[in-house]
Amino acid sequence: MPEASETHNLPAEREQGGDTKEGRPHVLLRDCDAEDSTYTVAYGSTQGAEAGRKPAPAFVLIDRDDTGYAGTGLTEKTWIYLCRLITGDPADLSEPRGRLLDEWNDIKAALRRSLGIGTGTAGSGEAQGSWRGRVVRLFGATQVQLDGAEFALVVAEPRYSHRRGYQQLI
């Protein structure tokens, strides 16, 4: 069974606007049991462009100089973006590339930040004026991607949401 902190390659996405790069590393964010119908992974990139934006999204940098890559399944410096979560069927996951152990606590903390936990909602607190906490109506490709859901709740990190970066929806 797939386990949290494993690194996996996901195939290129063929739908419009999808990630076309083959073999991009992703990190599994929770264990998957036989009865689970969905996995959740964080997007990985060997390019730090998104991390350099202001305000920066929630990410963890896995750097060869710090980890030696031993057992991680990564071959070069990799940014794990917790602002870009991807879901799918656990049966579609390939064998893991490796596993992140030393960085796991940092990844969990960045995930909490990415989801805006403890930051309020669009009407109050740090999140005031952002999309966080808003219910949105879905249309087009987004609605199709979310299995026909008509509405979603935005749970993005507020500072990142203010600048209209990737929005986490549930």
Side-chain angles (χ1 to χ4, degrees):
M1 290 289 115
E3 296 181 16
S5 82
E6 290 177 346
T7 56
H8 288 267
N9 284 342
L10 294 186
E13 298 172 293
R14 304 293 175 217
E15 66 269 0
Q16 183 179 4
D19 184 1
T20 58
K21 183 177 178 183
E22 287 289 340
R24 184 179 302 282
H26 292 76
V27 178
L28 190 63
L29 296 177
R30 65 175 185 82
D31 294 344
C32 294
D33 296 325
E35 62 275 355
D36 285 335
S37 61
T38 305
Y39 67 76
T40 303
V41 293
Y43 180 87
S45 176
T46 57
Q47 305 298 312
E50 187 71 17
R53 295 181 124 184
K54 300 292 181 202
F59 72 90
V60 174
L61 174 61
I62 312 300
D63 190 345
R64 179 183 181 133
D65 295 334
D66 292 338
T67 67
Y69 293 144
T72 65
L74 305 175
T75 57
E76 57 189 295
K77 184 184 292 189
T78 304
W79 284 259
I80 305 299
Y81 290 106
L82 287 301
C83 61
R84 292 182 68 178
L85 304 182
I86 298 164
T87 60
D89 184 339
D92 296 338
L93 286 174
S94 61
E95 286 296 312
R97 296 169 58 137
R99 181 176 219 143
L100 299 177
L101 298 175
D102 296 339
E103 304 82 8
W104 187 236
N105 284 334
D106 294 338
I107 288 171
K108 290 188 299 185
L111 179 61
R112 289 180 59 82
R113 188 175 126 222
S114 174
L115 297 176
I117 294 172
T119 61
T121 62
S124 65
E126 181 184 336
Q128 187 167 7
S130 73
W131 283 88
R132 178 168 170 66
R134 294 184 187 198
V135 175
V136 294
R137 176 171 269 164
L138 305 174
F139 296 96
T142 304
Q143 188 175 24
V144 170
Q145 220 174 17
L146 295 174
D147 297 325
E150 189 174 349
F151 297 95
L153 175 67
V154 178
V155 294
E157 188 273 327
R159 291 185 325 136
Y160 192 63
S161 177
H162 272 290
R163 75 167 179 82
R164 306 300 189 251
Y166 293 98
Q167 304 293 320
Q168 305 292 359
L169 304 175
I170 56 171

